[in-house]
Amino acid sequence: MAAQATLHCLIGCAIGEVLGMVIGTVTGMSNMATVVLAVALAFVFGYALTMRGVLRTGVDFRAALKVALAADTISIAVMEIVDNAVMLTVPGAMDAGLNSWLFWVALAGAFAVAFVVTTPVNKWLISRGKGHAVMHQYHHGH
């Protein structure tokens, strides 16, 4: 369950993260501005994916948003801290450009490290009825 929750989080984070890195790189934003944009978009897409599933169960938007915030905030935060730390510590990764293998390999590695670090965090949260455990009542047939 923790790995599934982490993978779910990773998908939303990856969409936002890649989009933020691409926009920041293409527009020539500073590394810090690029990271801020990537993190913001990771939260948006992470929450949106969770909300999509919860909204399908018939709850209203505000209720779905509360569930998403409770389910994903810590998971997304840990994932973003880890993957951005990796990107910032790999020499040249942030400045490599989108047509560089270094950029994409570093980003893939950053996601892999973030997955490994975030899974036990999610396991701990779920074991305490927090994090993705709040989603359990909305999962039908999982």
Side-chain angles (χ1 to χ4, degrees), residues 53-135:
V54 175
L55 286 167
R56 269 197 233 127
T57 67
V59 302
D60 66 47
F61 184 86
R62 278 186 61 193
L65 180 61
K66 283 181 184 173
V67 170
L69 293 173
D72 292 338
T73 299
I74 293 171
S75 185
I76 295 171
V78 170
M79 189 158 287
E80 287 306 297
I81 289 165
V82 173
D83 76 42
N84 283 291
V86 171
M87 281 301 285
L88 290 167
T89 55
V90 172
M94 290 293 292
D95 301 316
L98 301 179
N99 57 356
S100 162
W101 65 269
L102 174 61
F103 175 85
W104 294 106
V105 168
L107 192 56
F111 287 138
V113 172
F115 181 84
V116 169
V117 172
T118 308
T119 298
V121 172
N122 280 329
K123 186 172 173 50
W124 183 82
L125 288 167
I126 290 165
S127 74
R128 281 155 184 74
K130 306 263 190 263
H132 246 255
V134 302
M135 291 285 297

Side-chain angles (χ1 to χ4, degrees), residues 3-89:
Q4 188 178 355
T6 306
L7 185 62
H8 180 263
C9 175
L10 181 67
I11 293 167
C13 287
I15 294 168
E17 186 77 25
V18 170
L19 205 55
M21 291 286 173
V22 167
I23 292 168
T25 304
V26 167
T27 61
M29 294 167 76
S30 70
N31 286 353
M32 196 35 71
T34 299
V35 166
V36 169
L37 177 63
V39 169
L41 290 174
F43 273 95
V44 168
F45 282 95
Y47 289 143
L49 284 180
T50 295
M51 286 182 66
R52 190 188 71 178
V54 175
L55 286 167
R56 269 197 233 127
T57 67
V59 302
D60 66 47
F61 184 86
R62 278 186 61 193
L65 180 61
K66 283 181 184 173
V67 170
L69 293 173
D72 292 338
T73 299
I74 293 171
S75 185
I76 295 171
V78 170
M79 189 158 287
E80 287 306 297
I81 289 165
V82 173
D83 76 42
N84 283 291
V86 171
M87 281 301 285
L88 290 167
T89 55

